[in-house]
Amino acid sequence: MEHVLKGYVDGWSDPSAFAMRYRIGHSSGTTEARFAGTGEYRLSSTMTAGHRPLVFTGRVAVRDVRELALTALRAGLWRAGGDTTPGGVDAEALIQVTAGPETFTVTVWTGDAALVRPFDAVQQRILRLVHRLTAGAVLEVGK
């Protein structure tokens, strides 16, 4: 994953082949976001007022996607998964990085998402962007 993130951030990989995906689900609802390296995005969530499902699509500045990738690179996201413990009916949270045929996924239990620092650093950057793009309509906080 590190080489894929570095390739995108440094500009030597094809931005149209790069994407970051985030998904978190729990008893209150589910939020999913996908940001392409060229700026296109798709967000969906039931973590909204009244749990009404909402979908948002559009385009962000490429620098926003680069900031997500840079945050993942600096945080060492690839070191975040695999050492969390499920609690009760806990669901999974994931961040996925794709570049062409390569896909890397980091998965943690939702209850641990805010406690696993590399994961949470990226998650919080993604959620700030989600909140901005949805004008606060998505209420997800990543826990």
Side-chain angles (χ1 to χ4, degrees), residues 116-140:
V116 179
R117 287 188 179 181
F119 188 93
D120 193 48
V122 181
Q123 171 179 246
Q124 292 307 315
R125 174 66 99 178
I126 289 169
L127 290 175
R128 281 193 300 276
L129 185 54
V130 165
H131 295 154
R132 187 182 93 206
L133 294 171
T134 66
V138 172
L139 305 174
E140 181 65 60

PDB file of all heavy atoms in Angstrom, residues 116-140:
ATOM      1  N   VAL A 116      -7.504   3.062  16.901  1.00  0.00           N
ATOM      2  CA  VAL A 116      -6.359   2.642  16.103  1.00  0.00           C
ATOM      3  C   VAL A 116      -5.849   3.887  15.385  1.00  0.00           C
ATOM      4  O   VAL A 116      -6.429   4.327  14.386  1.00  0.00           O
ATOM      5  CB  VAL A 116      -6.745   1.521  15.115  1.00  0.00           C
ATOM      6  CG1 VAL A 116      -5.550   1.110  14.270  1.00  0.00           C
ATOM      7  CG2 VAL A 116      -7.323   0.328  15.871  1.00  0.00           C
ATOM      8  N   ARG A 117      -4.791   4.481  15.893  1.00  0.00           N
ATOM      9  CA  ARG A 117      -4.352   5.809  15.440  1.00  0.00           C
ATOM     10  C   ARG A 117      -4.129   5.945  13.940  1.00  0.00           C
ATOM     11  O   ARG A 117      -4.608   6.908  13.352  1.00  0.00           O
ATOM     12  CB  ARG A 117      -3.127   6.250  16.210  1.00  0.00           C
ATOM     13  CG  ARG A 117      -3.483   6.618  17.617  1.00  0.00           C
ATOM     14  CD  ARG A 117      -2.337   7.224  18.344  1.00  0.00           C
ATOM     15  NE  ARG A 117      -2.821   7.562  19.680  1.00  0.00           N
ATOM     16  CZ  ARG A 117      -2.089   8.132  20.582  1.00  0.00           C
ATOM     17  NH1 ARG A 117      -0.838   8.431  20.317  1.00  0.00           N
ATOM     18  NH2 ARG A 117      -2.587   8.414  21.760  1.00  0.00           N
ATOM     19  N   PRO A 118      -3.410   5.028  13.289  1.00  0.00           N
ATOM     20  CA  PRO A 118      -3.226   5.212  11.842  1.00  0.00           C
ATOM     21  C   PRO A 118      -4.560   5.204  11.093  1.00  0.00           C
ATOM     22  O   PRO A 118      -4.773   5.990  10.181  1.00  0.00           O
ATOM     23  CB  PRO A 118      -2.346   4.028  11.427  1.00  0.00           C
ATOM     24  CG  PRO A 118      -1.684   3.575  12.674  1.00  0.00           C
ATOM     25  CD  PRO A 118      -2.649   3.875  13.781  1.00  0.00           C
ATOM     26  N   PHE A 119      -5.465   4.316  11.506  1.00  0.00           N
ATOM     27  CA  PHE A 119      -6.771   4.242  10.868  1.00  0.00           C
ATOM     28  C   PHE A 119      -7.570   5.515  11.141  1.00  0.00           C
ATOM     29  O   PHE A 119      -8.140   6.122  10.234  1.00  0.00           O
ATOM     30  CB  PHE A 119      -7.552   3.014  11.370  1.00  0.00           C
ATOM     31  CG  PHE A 119      -8.828   2.771  10.617  1.00  0.00           C
ATOM     32  CD1 PHE A 119      -8.838   1.919   9.520  1.00  0.00           C
ATOM     33  CD2 PHE A 119     -10.015   3.386  10.992  1.00  0.00           C
ATOM     34  CE1 PHE A 119     -10.006   1.695   8.810  1.00  0.00           C
ATOM     35  CE2 PHE A 119     -11.185   3.168  10.292  1.00  0.00           C
ATOM     36  CZ  PHE A 119     -11.177   2.320   9.198  1.00  0.00           C
ATOM     37  N   ASP A 120      -7.608   5.923  12.406  1.00  0.00           N
ATOM     38  CA  ASP A 120      -8.421   7.082  12.774  1.00  0.00           C
ATOM     39  C   ASP A 120      -7.927   8.374  12.139  1.00  0.00           C
ATOM     40  O   ASP A 120      -8.729   9.242  11.785  1.00  0.00           O
ATOM     41  CB  ASP A 120      -8.497   7.233  14.290  1.00  0.00           C
ATOM     42  CG  ASP A 120      -9.577   8.228  14.692  1.00  0.00           C
ATOM     43  OD1 ASP A 120     -10.714   8.130  14.171  1.00  0.00           O
ATOM     44  OD2 ASP A 120      -9.294   9.113  15.516  1.00  0.00           O
ATOM     45  N   ALA A 121      -6.629   8.520  11.967  1.00  0.00           N
ATOM     46  CA  ALA A 121      -6.111   9.727  11.315  1.00  0.00           C
ATOM     47  C   ALA A 121      -6.693   9.868   9.908  1.00  0.00           C
ATOM     48  O   ALA A 121      -7.134  10.957   9.513  1.00  0.00           O
ATOM     49  CB  ALA A 121      -4.587   9.683  11.249  1.00  0.00           C
ATOM     50  N   VAL A 122      -6.720   8.775   9.174  1.00  0.00           N
ATOM     51  CA  VAL A 122      -7.261   8.800   7.811  1.00  0.00           C
ATOM     52  C   VAL A 122      -8.780   8.934   7.855  1.00  0.00           C
ATOM     53  O   VAL A 122      -9.369   9.718   7.111  1.00  0.00           O
ATOM     54  CB  VAL A 122      -6.828   7.539   7.028  1.00  0.00           C
ATOM     55  CG1 VAL A 122      -7.363   7.584   5.601  1.00  0.00           C
ATOM     56  CG2 VAL A 122      -5.315   7.404   7.034  1.00  0.00           C
ATOM     57  N   GLN A 123      -9.403   8.170   8.751  1.00  0.00           N
ATOM     58  CA  GLN A 123     -10.853   8.239   8.903  1.00  0.00           C
ATOM     59  C   GLN A 123     -11.320   9.667   9.191  1.00  0.00           C
ATOM     60  O   GLN A 123     -12.272  10.151   8.573  1.00  0.00           O
ATOM     61  CB  GLN A 123     -11.273   7.303  10.044  1.00  0.00           C
ATOM     62  CG  GLN A 123     -12.716   7.436  10.460  1.00  0.00           C
ATOM     63  CD  GLN A 123     -13.065   6.475  11.573  1.00  0.00           C
ATOM     64  OE1 GLN A 123     -13.854   5.584  11.356  1.00  0.00           O
ATOM     65  NE2 GLN A 123     -12.485   6.640  12.758  1.00  0.00           N
ATOM     66  N   GLN A 124     -10.655  10.350  10.091  1.00  0.00           N
ATOM     67  CA  GLN A 124     -11.078  11.710  10.443  1.00  0.00           C
ATOM     68  C   GLN A 124     -10.881  12.677   9.278  1.00  0.00           C
ATOM     69  O   GLN A 124     -11.702  13.566   9.056  1.00  0.00           O
ATOM     70  CB  GLN A 124     -10.356  12.190  11.703  1.00  0.00           C
ATOM     71  CG  GLN A 124     -10.785  11.438  12.953  1.00  0.00           C
ATOM     72  CD  GLN A 124     -12.292  11.425  13.149  1.00  0.00           C
ATOM     73  OE1 GLN A 124     -12.981  12.440  13.006  1.00  0.00           O
ATOM     74  NE2 GLN A 124     -12.835  10.261  13.475  1.00  0.00           N
ATOM     75  N   ARG A 125      -9.814  12.502   8.503  1.00  0.00           N
ATOM     76  CA  ARG A 125      -9.600  13.343   7.314  1.00  0.00           C
ATOM     77  C   ARG A 125     -10.726  13.100   6.309  1.00  0.00           C
ATOM     78  O   ARG A 125     -11.260  14.030   5.716  1.00  0.00           O
ATOM     79  CB  ARG A 125      -8.233  13.045   6.712  1.00  0.00           C
ATOM     80  CG  ARG A 125      -7.975  13.745   5.406  1.00  0.00           C
ATOM     81  CD  ARG A 125      -7.894  15.227   5.561  1.00  0.00           C
ATOM     82  NE  ARG A 125      -6.514  15.614   5.607  1.00  0.00           N
ATOM     83  CZ  ARG A 125      -6.119  16.863   5.694  1.00  0.00           C
ATOM     84  NH1 ARG A 125      -6.981  17.838   5.728  1.00  0.00           N
ATOM     85  NH2 ARG A 125      -4.857  17.157   5.739  1.00  0.00           N
ATOM     86  N   ILE A 126     -11.076  11.831   6.109  1.00  0.00           N
ATOM     87  CA  ILE A 126     -12.170  11.491   5.192  1.00  0.00           C
ATOM     88  C   ILE A 126     -13.476  12.090   5.691  1.00  0.00           C
ATOM     89  O   ILE A 126     -14.221  12.696   4.918  1.00  0.00           O
ATOM     90  CB  ILE A 126     -12.295   9.960   5.033  1.00  0.00           C
ATOM     91  CG1 ILE A 126     -11.110   9.412   4.234  1.00  0.00           C
ATOM     92  CG2 ILE A 126     -13.624   9.584   4.364  1.00  0.00           C
ATOM     93  CD1 ILE A 126     -10.999   7.894   4.235  1.00  0.00           C
ATOM     94  N   LEU A 127     -13.750  11.939   6.986  1.00  0.00           N
ATOM     95  CA  LEU A 127     -15.027  12.438   7.518  1.00  0.00           C
ATOM     96  C   LEU A 127     -15.120  13.959   7.476  1.00  0.00           C
ATOM     97  O   LEU A 127     -16.213  14.499   7.252  1.00  0.00           O
ATOM     98  CB  LEU A 127     -15.255  11.904   8.932  1.00  0.00           C
ATOM     99  CG  LEU A 127     -15.556  10.400   8.995  1.00  0.00           C
ATOM    100  CD1 LEU A 127     -15.649   9.937  10.435  1.00  0.00           C
ATOM    101  CD2 LEU A 127     -16.814  10.065   8.213  1.00  0.00           C
ATOM    102  N   ARG A 128     -14.013  14.667   7.640  1.00  0.00           N
ATOM    103  CA  ARG A 128     -14.054  16.131   7.478  1.00  0.00           C
ATOM    104  C   ARG A 128     -14.468  16.490   6.052  1.00  0.00           C
ATOM    105  O   ARG A 128     -15.270  17.399   5.831  1.00  0.00           O
ATOM    106  CB  ARG A 128     -12.707  16.760   7.829  1.00  0.00           C
ATOM    107  CG  ARG A 128     -12.475  16.889   9.316  1.00  0.00           C
ATOM    108  CD  ARG A 128     -11.303  17.791   9.651  1.00  0.00           C
ATOM    109  NE  ARG A 128     -10.022  17.365   9.128  1.00  0.00           N
ATOM    110  CZ  ARG A 128      -9.223  16.479   9.721  1.00  0.00           C
ATOM    111  NH1 ARG A 128      -9.588  15.900  10.850  1.00  0.00           N
ATOM    112  NH2 ARG A 128      -8.063  16.170   9.179  1.00  0.00           N
ATOM    113  N   LEU A 129     -13.925  15.765   5.088  1.00  0.00           N
ATOM    114  CA  LEU A 129     -14.284  16.001   3.689  1.00  0.00           C
ATOM    115  C   LEU A 129     -15.741  15.628   3.438  1.00  0.00           C
ATOM    116  O   LEU A 129     -16.479  16.367   2.771  1.00  0.00           O
ATOM    117  CB  LEU A 129     -13.339  15.212   2.773  1.00  0.00           C
ATOM    118  CG  LEU A 129     -13.488  15.426   1.273  1.00  0.00           C
ATOM    119  CD1 LEU A 129     -13.399  16.904   0.886  1.00  0.00           C
ATOM    120  CD2 LEU A 129     -12.424  14.614   0.529  1.00  0.00           C
ATOM    121  N   VAL A 130     -16.189  14.507   3.984  1.00  0.00           N
ATOM    122  CA  VAL A 130     -17.592  14.085   3.845  1.00  0.00           C
ATOM    123  C   VAL A 130     -18.516  15.142   4.430  1.00  0.00           C
ATOM    124  O   VAL A 130     -19.513  15.534   3.797  1.00  0.00           O
ATOM    125  CB  VAL A 130     -17.829  12.712   4.517  1.00  0.00           C
ATOM    126  CG1 VAL A 130     -19.315  12.424   4.706  1.00  0.00           C
ATOM    127  CG2 VAL A 130     -17.151  11.608   3.716  1.00  0.00           C
ATOM    128  N   HIS A 131     -18.213  15.631   5.610  1.00  0.00           N
ATOM    129  CA  HIS A 131     -19.064  16.652   6.240  1.00  0.00           C
ATOM    130  C   HIS A 131     -19.106  17.930   5.404  1.00  0.00           C
ATOM    131  O   HIS A 131     -20.164  18.541   5.239  1.00  0.00           O
ATOM    132  CB  HIS A 131     -18.590  16.945   7.658  1.00  0.00           C
ATOM    133  CG  HIS A 131     -18.729  15.771   8.577  1.00  0.00           C
ATOM    134  ND1 HIS A 131     -17.950  15.611   9.677  1.00  0.00           N
ATOM    135  CD2 HIS A 131     -19.546  14.687   8.545  1.00  0.00           C
ATOM    136  CE1 HIS A 131     -18.276  14.486  10.298  1.00  0.00           C
ATOM    137  NE2 HIS A 131     -19.245  13.913   9.615  1.00  0.00           N
ATOM    138  N   ARG A 132     -17.976  18.310   4.856  1.00  0.00           N
ATOM    139  CA  ARG A 132     -17.928  19.506   4.005  1.00  0.00           C
ATOM    140  C   ARG A 132     -18.754  19.312   2.738  1.00  0.00           C
ATOM    141  O   ARG A 132     -19.552  20.179   2.362  1.00  0.00           O
ATOM    142  CB  ARG A 132     -16.483  19.826   3.645  1.00  0.00           C
ATOM    143  CG  ARG A 132     -16.341  21.152   2.896  1.00  0.00           C
ATOM    144  CD  ARG A 132     -14.912  21.412   2.506  1.00  0.00           C
ATOM    145  NE  ARG A 132     -14.705  20.888   1.160  1.00  0.00           N
ATOM    146  CZ  ARG A 132     -13.556  20.494   0.668  1.00  0.00           C
ATOM    147  NH1 ARG A 132     -12.467  20.518   1.392  1.00  0.00           N
ATOM    148  NH2 ARG A 132     -13.476  20.068  -0.558  1.00  0.00           N
ATOM    149  N   LEU A 133     -18.589  18.161   2.084  1.00  0.00           N
ATOM    150  CA  LEU A 133     -19.289  17.916   0.819  1.00  0.00           C
ATOM    151  C   LEU A 133     -20.794  17.743   0.981  1.00  0.00           C
ATOM    152  O   LEU A 133     -21.546  17.978   0.042  1.00  0.00           O
ATOM    153  CB  LEU A 133     -18.702  16.681   0.122  1.00  0.00           C
ATOM    154  CG  LEU A 133     -17.259  16.826  -0.347  1.00  0.00           C
ATOM    155  CD1 LEU A 133     -16.721  15.489  -0.819  1.00  0.00           C
ATOM    156  CD2 LEU A 133     -17.155  17.882  -1.444  1.00  0.00           C
ATOM    157  N   THR A 134     -21.213  17.323   2.161  1.00  0.00           N
ATOM    158  CA  THR A 134     -22.648  17.099   2.394  1.00  0.00           C
ATOM    159  C   THR A 134     -23.268  18.218   3.224  1.00  0.00           C
ATOM    160  O   THR A 134     -24.416  18.098   3.646  1.00  0.00           O
ATOM    161  CB  THR A 134     -22.889  15.747   3.091  1.00  0.00           C
ATOM    162  OG1 THR A 134     -22.331  15.778   4.413  1.00  0.00           O
ATOM    163  CG2 THR A 134     -22.313  14.602   2.284  1.00  0.00           C
ATOM    164  N   ALA A 135     -22.520  19.278   3.449  1.00  0.00           N
ATOM    165  CA  ALA A 135     -22.987  20.416   4.256  1.00  0.00           C
ATOM    166  C   ALA A 135     -23.527  19.942   5.616  1.00  0.00           C
ATOM    167  O   ALA A 135     -24.517  20.440   6.116  1.00  0.00           O
ATOM    168  CB  ALA A 135     -24.040  21.226   3.507  1.00  0.00           C
ATOM    169  N   GLY A 136     -22.861  18.933   6.176  1.00  0.00           N
ATOM    170  CA  GLY A 136     -23.237  18.435   7.485  1.00  0.00           C
ATOM    171  C   GLY A 136     -24.405  17.468   7.506  1.00  0.00           C
ATOM    172  O   GLY A 136     -24.829  17.031   8.579  1.00  0.00           O
ATOM    173  N   ALA A 137     -24.942  17.093   6.360  1.00  0.00           N
ATOM    174  CA  ALA A 137     -26.079  16.174   6.302  1.00  0.00           C
ATOM    175  C   ALA A 137     -25.713  14.764   6.777  1.00  0.00           C
ATOM    176  O   ALA A 137     -26.540  14.054   7.323  1.00  0.00           O
ATOM    177  CB  ALA A 137     -26.675  16.116   4.895  1.00  0.00           C
ATOM    178  N   VAL A 138     -24.463  14.370   6.544  1.00  0.00           N
ATOM    179  CA  VAL A 138     -23.987  13.082   7.058  1.00  0.00           C
ATOM    180  C   VAL A 138     -23.416  13.325   8.452  1.00  0.00           C
ATOM    181  O   VAL A 138     -22.543  14.162   8.638  1.00  0.00           O
ATOM    182  CB  VAL A 138     -22.922  12.466   6.115  1.00  0.00           C
ATOM    183  CG1 VAL A 138     -22.297  11.229   6.741  1.00  0.00           C
ATOM    184  CG2 VAL A 138     -23.548  12.125   4.768  1.00  0.00           C
ATOM    185  N   LEU A 139     -23.936  12.584   9.423  1.00  0.00           N
ATOM    186  CA  LEU A 139     -23.603  12.805  10.830  1.00  0.00           C
ATOM    187  C   LEU A 139     -22.548  11.837  11.360  1.00  0.00           C
ATOM    188  O   LEU A 139     -22.256  11.854  12.550  1.00  0.00           O
ATOM    189  CB  LEU A 139     -24.882  12.684  11.667  1.00  0.00           C
ATOM    190  CG  LEU A 139     -26.031  13.593  11.232  1.00  0.00           C
ATOM    191  CD1 LEU A 139     -27.293  13.285  12.017  1.00  0.00           C
ATOM    192  CD2 LEU A 139     -25.650  15.052  11.339  1.00  0.00           C
ATOM    193  N   GLU A 140     -21.984  11.009  10.504  1.00  0.00           N
ATOM    194  CA  GLU A 140     -21.006   9.999  10.908  1.00  0.00           C
ATOM    195  C   GLU A 140     -19.824  10.638  11.626  1.00  0.00           C
ATOM    196  O   GLU A 140     -19.307  11.659  11.192  1.00  0.00           O
ATOM    197  CB  GLU A 140     -20.497   9.259   9.662  1.00  0.00           C
ATOM    198  CG  GLU A 140     -19.509   8.174   9.962  1.00  0.00           C
ATOM    199  CD  GLU A 140     -20.114   7.049  10.764  1.00  0.00           C
ATOM    200  OE1 GLU A 140     -21.077   6.413  10.288  1.00  0.00           O
ATOM    201  OE2 GLU A 140     -19.637   6.827  11.899  1.00  0.00           O
TER     202      GLU A 140
END
